Amino acid sequence: MGLKIIDDFPGVAMKVPGGSVMLGVMDAVINWARANSLWPLSFGTSCCAIEMLMATGAPHQDMARFGAEVARPSPRQADLLVVAGTIVKRMAPTLRTLYEQMAEPRYVMATGACAISGGPFIYNNYSVVRGADEIIPVDVYVPGCPPRPEAFFYALLTLQRMIRSGDSLKSRHVHKRPVMSALPAGITVADIQEELRDLLERDSAVDVEKEAAAGPWAGKGYC
Amino acid sequence: MALFDPKGARAETRQVAGKSVAVLLAPRLVRRGFLHDVFYGLKSLLTGMRVTLPYGLTTSRIVTRQYPENRGTLKMYERYRARLTFIRDGQGRHTCTGCRNCEKACPNGSIIIETAKGAVTGKNEVQRFIWRFDACTFCNLCVYTCPFDALEMKGDFEHAVFDRRLLVYNLNSYAGPHASLWDKVEDEEQRKTLATKISPYDGKVPLAGTSMAGCPARAHGEGGAS
Amino acid sequence: MTVQAYTLDDLVKRLDPQATEGASQQYFLNLGPQHPAAHGVLRVMLFLDGETVVRAIPVLGYIHRGIEKMGESLSTRQFIHLTDRLDYLSALMNNWAVARTVEKAAGIEVSPRAEWIRTIMAELQRLQSHLLWLGVLGMDLGAFTPFLWGFRDREELTYIFEETIGARLTMNYVLPGGVMSDIHPEFAARVKKYVAYIRPKIAEYEALLSGNVILEERLRNIGRLSAEDAVSIGATGPVLRASGVALDLRKASPYGAYDKLEFQVPVGTVGDSWDRYWVRFEEMRQSIAMIEQLLGGIPEGPHMSVKPAVKVKLPEGVHYGQLETARGILGVFIAAAGGSDVPYRIHLRSPTFNNLWSVTRLAPGWRIADLVAILTTLDLVIPDIER
Amino acid sequence: MEANELQEVVLAFASGAKVREKTDRPSLTVPAASLPDLLAKLKADERLSFDMLLDHTAVDWLERGVLELFYQLFSTRHGHTLTVSAEVPREEPVAPSVSGVHLIAEWQEREVYDMFGVLYEGHPDLRRLLLDDSWVGHPLRKDYRDDHMIERPK
């Protein structure tokens, strides 16, 4: 049942059912606009903030080339939350609050080892949260400690790619997370399918039949 | 004339912490009345503009690096540390003996090595060299302590993914002996059985949320919902 | 037991009547924990009368990462990479402080070449740190150009580090016994080129900022820290020197190659924001002068005297070492049980911890905008405070 | 002043003080009760003038059942250093506060209270410094464990 979906992921899972041409065009335009004007929330806690939010804004890297230079201090005006730095237990509720205050559509990028997994602070540590994804859903992970600004730009491009294929007007607030598209060269879906099937089914792929019966759009004739 | 004289710092010698130290005393700003302030303020603003204006007029001072347009020509410094890899010879063989020096040297347990006794060689062979890219801090201690020069840090940086589980790598592309053991096996038929191919995600990967030897399970739902 | 411990709520309850006494317009404001002008996750509780600060109470702990606890299960060589992440703007000097303490405890000799490399790297990093500070100061006071310029020139230094060390920010370069890798063959030439490049830029900053009337108005006489207070709170680095105490460990107890260098210690006269600004600004020039002197003679020799396979065992006892980072004295306290390379307890005395305390003294009486100027001239790095 | 000379001068000052062995700088162990007095005297004395409390921290000697408090003193005038240490029992750790002598001791003592649970008598504002008020336990004690901590696998 789930296999078919994983095979053709992400094309099948999120297709706008009923596919009107008008909506399709509007989807493309809106997603294009969203992807090219990501306003990051200036949320930096430690070392990554220097590289991710300050050095990228500076002349040598210049985030403005990606339409993302408008770093906002207010979550209400931002649509990209760059988790740059370690999140400790005391900061966790604040991060969650900030995320919830952001308007939809909102995207989260975890930069650096600390925000991905706790990084250097995994073992024998009483205070650090092991990864921002324990608190908020994360869209893009950027490994590095800290990642260099170019790595951040690559992540930004990756996120833009995701947004462009992302939300549609009909099924809103459902991000496509094209897990497979990030695979390194030479690796196919089949290589890790066996290993990841359970997790994939749970986290990333959508079972269309099941969703048709129980999902948020159940009974609306989409599936 | 000016409020602030940049060369007005006074040099003198002071006794501090039991030593005489050559110090430079900060110049102070002086105020000379309202009218003077008005004109000086105007002058200082114009000075600032005179400094910044040439930057707007000339394009020869552009310093911005044009990533991603320059992707084809962009070269990292050769020592730049961004990804751990095995050093391989021309035939794709590595020199890792599975001595676990790097595993012990790693400050945060990013390296997990599984070894087994080789059927032919009878020596310890690396089965899987698991490297947790998601936790690595690129401190270089693994490369630094490796006695066999089996590891190196590469400078490529384009690794952003949508799924954290894809950041757990197998560094070795085959499970089997290291390069010098390989040469000692003379029988052609035996050589063919020495190694089995594995992919970067082969075998049971220490995924987030699951537990395995050397990688404890992450407790879910502890830091908050979702 | 007679001793009573309080909570934050207790404090607020206790303070409230005092804080609002005589105030015509009473406000309470939380600056942070995520505020663009706080440079990190500092939270300052402000009791205000209109826009004037009556009382400022820093609340810490939003980036407390428990590094000292981790240090009890890591060897000192492994622990050094964690010190990168404290004061990440002077990461290399943090490395050096721990390495030096361990060397002193274990009696390890360091070659002159390694000391030379450490010294020039430390000065390059001090320059880099101050350049970032200058940019951030400009931004906090409402000028965007210094930010662009500071980062432009800082980035060139980053490339120099990248070439030799292989990392941009968190370097893990200095290890007990020397440095991790020898300098790149191009290093000296590149630094020479950079020095020639940065000298006129510093003059440009000066023309743009030091004489500027707005900057002057925002800094002069604001946040005066007397020499007596500065010593009593254990302030170090530019903050202490701006208050008129010329304590600089590079002069007071020279380490590395500093005893061979000639330089002056910039000192302030009254300890206001302006003095702190000027002291840091002048330190950049002094750093450049030192780098030039260092380029004159590179000693030959090995860059590392301890083999990677050797465990650096700490003798039993209590060891203390200190070093002047870009922000002041970093002290390393190691209690060792002996026979192991893992310390029984390791504690770091971070310079900004003490410097931050002065906010409680300096802020009252000034407006919020002045508080921002005070915070930025204190040059705080929050992870360094909370460790 | 030489290290030995300094140690002698200070020893004459402090009643009940002993020289602490195995340190790399002049070092004394004193009864905890005498700390504020001693530090004030060391600060006031012309020859010593230990005016800066560089560092204050504690070590949890689990086997001996004591917390040893360390005070690193520094003189900005003479440039010499001194370590003063005092022991308090682990079970009931109470020490007098020196925040009346050195301003920064207020925060340093709060940190030690936070991390080790040492209660300081006469402290103006004894609160946790780095951890949340609702935190249970004192993490830098050697026997501290919580659910969040994972041991590094061997």
Side-chain angles (χ1 to χ4, degrees), chain C residues 217-271:
Chain C
E217 285 286 335
R218 293 291 304 272
L219 297 180
R220 197 173 54 106
N221 283 340
I222 286 170
R224 276 192 185 207
L225 184 66
S226 70
E228 197 188 327
D229 275 0
V231 170
S232 185
I233 66 167
T236 46
V239 176
L240 178 68
R241 292 196 280 275
S243 294
V245 183
L247 176 67
D248 190 332
L249 286 188
R250 292 174 292 172
K251 285 272 192 201
S253 52
Y255 52 90
Y258 285 115
D259 50 352
K260 298 184 194 78
L261 301 178
E262 281 203 9
F263 62 100
Q264 289 163 310
V265 180
V267 170
T269 46
V270 298

Side-chain angles (χ1 to χ4, degrees), chain B residues 2-226:
Chain B
L3 281 172
F4 169 71
D5 173 16
K7 294 191 178 59
R10 238 171 347 106
E12 60 174 56
T13 315
R14 279 196 188 174
Q15 286 289 324
V16 180
K19 294 229 167 114
S20 59
V21 178
V23 301
L24 210 55
L25 276 178
R28 290 303 293 178
L29 309 139
V30 281
R31 311 308 295 269
R32 294 197 185 137
F34 180 73
L35 258 185
H36 180 274
D37 281 6
V38 169
F39 283 109
Y40 180 76
L42 215 62
K43 192 184 145 212
S44 80
L45 290 180
L46 289 174
T47 313
M49 282 174 188
R50 199 190 66 221
V51 175
T52 48
L53 192 67
Y55 281 87
L57 299 179
T58 163
T59 50
S60 65
R61 304 197 202 185
I62 292 176
V63 290
T64 310
R65 296 184 137 198
Q66 298 296 324
Y67 183 85
E69 285 82 1
N70 66 355
R71 247 169 113 176
T73 55
L74 185 66
K75 273 185 98 170
M76 289 294 116
Y77 293 104
E78 57 183 282
R79 294 189 188 177
Y80 185 68
R81 321 196 280 243
R83 184 165 66 89
L84 187 66
T85 53
F86 268 177
I87 297 175
R88 294 203 173 79
D89 62 10
Q91 290 155 284
R93 300 177 310 193
H94 60 73
T95 56
C96 177
T97 60
C99 69
R100 291 172 193 273
N101 269 11
C102 49
E103 191 178 349
K104 282 176 217 144
C106 182
N108 61 336
S110 299
I111 294 173
I112 301 145
I113 302 174
E114 289 172 14
T115 55
K117 201 149 262 181
V120 181
T121 57
K123 297 268 170 60
N124 247 10
E125 292 173 359
V126 188
Q127 295 298 301
R128 298 197 305 139
F129 191 106
I130 299 162
W131 174 54
R132 292 189 58 183
F133 200 173
D134 62 341
C136 182
T137 55
F138 310 96
C139 66
N140 211 31
L141 283 177
C142 47
V143 181
Y144 181 68
T145 47
C146 182
F148 302 102
D149 285 334
L151 295 165
E152 68 173 330
M153 284 277 187
K154 284 241 168 87
D156 47 350
F157 55 86
E158 296 181 335
H159 300 294
V161 290
F162 295 112
D163 197 316
R164 169 178 160 179
R165 289 162 295 193
L166 299 178
L167 293 173
V168 182
Y169 282 55
N170 259 340
L171 288 194
N172 50 337
S173 52
Y174 68 88
H178 58 91
S180 58
L181 276 183
W182 203 288
D183 294 331
K184 284 182 189 152
V185 182
E186 281 165 9
D187 186 23
E188 273 298 317
E189 283 306 306
Q190 271 191 333
R191 265 197 199 195
K192 278 179 192 162
T193 63
L194 272 181
T196 43
K197 196 179 179 327
I198 50 176
S199 80
Y201 299 102
D202 211 17
K204 191 159 168 46
V205 184
L207 302 166
T210 59
S211 113
M212 63 166 288
C215 184
R218 272 169 72 234
H220 264 294
E222 153 188 288
S226 89

Side-chain angles (χ1 to χ4, degrees), chain C residues 165-176:
Chain C
I165 298 172
R168 290 164 59 88
L169 201 66
T170 51
M171 309 182 179
N172 191 35
Y173 184 55
V174 184
L175 296 179

Side-chain angles (χ1 to χ4, degrees), chain C residues 51 82 98 125 192 240 275 298 304 308-309 328 362 364 377 384:
Chain C
E51 213 194 328
L82 288 177
V98 178
Q125 182 137 62
K192 205 169 269 174
L240 178 68
D275 277 345
I298 311 174
M304 178 52 103
L362 302 182
T377 51
D384 185 35

Side-chain angles (χ1 to χ4, degrees), chain C residues 190-380:
Chain C
R190 276 191 81 121
V191 175
K192 205 169 269 174
K193 211 170 127 196
Y194 181 76
V195 169
Y197 162 83
I198 192 73
R199 274 199 182 275
K201 299 292 178 199
I202 298 276
E204 242 177 27
Y205 299 143
E206 185 144 58
L208 183 73
L209 286 172
S210 293
N212 189 283
V213 88
I214 301 172
L215 189 94
E216 189 236 310
E217 285 286 335
R218 293 291 304 272
L219 297 180
R220 197 173 54 106
N221 283 340
I222 286 170
R224 276 192 185 207
L225 184 66
S226 70
E228 197 188 327
D229 275 0
V231 170
S232 185
I233 66 167
T236 46
V239 176
L240 178 68
R241 292 196 280 275
S243 294
V245 183
L247 176 67
D248 190 332
L249 286 188
R250 292 174 292 172
K251 285 272 192 201
S253 52
Y255 52 90
Y258 285 115
D259 50 352
K260 298 184 194 78
L261 301 178
E262 281 203 9
F263 62 100
Q264 289 163 310
V265 180
V267 170
T269 46
V270 298
D272 59 357
S273 290
W274 166 263
D275 277 345
R276 290 193 282 275
Y277 162 81
W278 187 84
V279 165
R280 280 210 189 81
F281 199 97
E282 187 58 34
E283 270 187 15
M284 291 200 277
R285 276 209 200 100
Q286 300 292 343
S287 282
I288 294 169
M290 274 184 252
I291 292 163
E292 266 187 337
Q293 290 173 40
L294 283 163
L295 281 174
I298 311 174
E300 291 299 321
H303 64 272
M304 178 52 103
S305 59
V306 179
K307 291 209 169 72
V310 176
K311 274 190 178 181
V312 183
K313 286 189 179 153
L314 296 160
E316 191 188 342
V318 174
H319 315 286
Y320 199 84
Q322 54 203 30
L323 189 138
E324 185 88 22
T325 73
R327 276 157 199 77
I329 295 175
L330 179 78
V332 182
F333 172 91
I334 295 178
S340 157
D341 60 343
V342 180
Y344 184 77
R345 159 122 171 87
I346 188 161
H347 167 77
L348 297 163
R349 176 242 188 249
S350 52
T352 39
F353 179 87
N354 300 43
N355 292 356
L356 174 66
W357 199 91
S358 58
V359 169
T360 51
R361 274 290 155 106
L362 302 182
W366 297 105
R367 272 171 280 183
I368 297 175
D370 298 326
L371 176 68
V372 170
I374 291 170
L375 284 176
T376 179
T377 51
L378 287 176
D379 196 11
L380 304 170

Side-chain angles (χ1 to χ4, degrees), chain C residues 21-310:
Chain C
E21 196 178 307
S24 53
Q25 281 182 304
Q26 305 154 10
Y27 296 104
F28 169 74
L29 184 79
N30 261 318
L31 187 87
Q34 185 49 241
H35 189 276
H39 305 294
V41 283
L42 175 67
R43 173 178 167 203
V44 188
M45 287 165 58
L46 296 173
F47 295 86
L48 304 168
D49 172 14
E51 213 194 328
T52 310
V53 178
V54 177
R55 187 185 286 271
I57 303 168
V59 181
L60 304 179
Y62 290 91
I63 186 74
H64 171 65
R65 301 186 276 197
I67 282 174
E68 288 174 11
K69 184 79 177 176
M70 296 177 73
E72 292 171 10
S73 53
L74 294 174
S75 74
T76 44
R77 197 185 268 151
Q78 291 173 327
F79 180 76
I80 282 175
H81 101 293
L82 288 177
T83 61
D84 281 334
R85 283 144 190 96
L86 294 171
D87 179 358
Y88 37 78
L89 298 178
S90 45
L92 201 133
M93 287 176 262
N94 294 358
N95 296 171
W96 191 1
V98 178
R100 204 168 150 255
T101 312
V102 172
E103 280 156 10
K104 211 171 64 178
I108 297 168
E109 287 283 320
V110 185
S111 73
R113 186 180 178 85
E115 291 283 27
W116 182 91
I117 297 174
R118 288 172 176 190
T119 312
I120 192 164
M121 288 291 180
E123 281 317 307
L124 286 170
Q125 182 137 62
R126 192 184 312 272
L127 179 60
Q128 191 191 34
S129 167
H130 285 354
L131 278 171
L132 187 137
W133 159 82
L134 189 77
V136 167
L137 171 116
M139 208 161 61
D140 283 349
L141 300 183
F144 198 60
T145 313
F147 171 77
L148 295 175
W149 287 7
F151 265 88
R152 178 196 63 194
D153 298 341
R154 177 189 174 275
E155 198 82 354
E156 299 283 351
L157 274 172
T158 315
Y159 298 148
I160 292 175
F161 288 133
E162 241 178 87
E163 192 178 39
T164 286
I165 298 172
R168 290 164 59 88
L169 201 66
T170 51
M171 309 182 179
N172 191 35
Y173 184 55
V174 184
L175 296 179
V179 291
M180 196 180 243
S181 57
D182 208 351
I183 51 169
H184 196 269
E186 298 283 300
F187 178 77
R190 276 191 81 121
V191 175
K192 205 169 269 174
K193 211 170 127 196
Y194 181 76
V195 169
Y197 162 83
I198 192 73
R199 274 199 182 275
K201 299 292 178 199
I202 298 276
E204 242 177 27
Y205 299 143
E206 185 144 58
L208 183 73
L209 286 172
S210 293
N212 189 283
V213 88
I214 301 172
L215 189 94
E216 189 236 310
E217 285 286 335
R218 293 291 304 272
L219 297 180
R220 197 173 54 106
N221 283 340
I222 286 170
R224 276 192 185 207
L225 184 66
S226 70
E228 197 188 327
D229 275 0
V231 170
S232 185
I233 66 167
T236 46
V239 176
L240 178 68
R241 292 196 280 275
S243 294
V245 183
L247 176 67
D248 190 332
L249 286 188
R250 292 174 292 172
K251 285 272 192 201
S253 52
Y255 52 90
Y258 285 115
D259 50 352
K260 298 184 194 78
L261 301 178
E262 281 203 9
F263 62 100
Q264 289 163 310
V265 180
V267 170
T269 46
V270 298
D272 59 357
S273 290
W274 166 263
D275 277 345
R276 290 193 282 275
Y277 162 81
W278 187 84
V279 165
R280 280 210 189 81
F281 199 97
E282 187 58 34
E283 270 187 15
M284 291 200 277
R285 276 209 200 100
Q286 300 292 343
S287 282
I288 294 169
M290 274 184 252
I291 292 163
E292 266 187 337
Q293 290 173 40
L294 283 163
L295 281 174
I298 311 174
E300 291 299 321
H303 64 272
M304 178 52 103
S305 59
V306 179
K307 291 209 169 72
V310 176

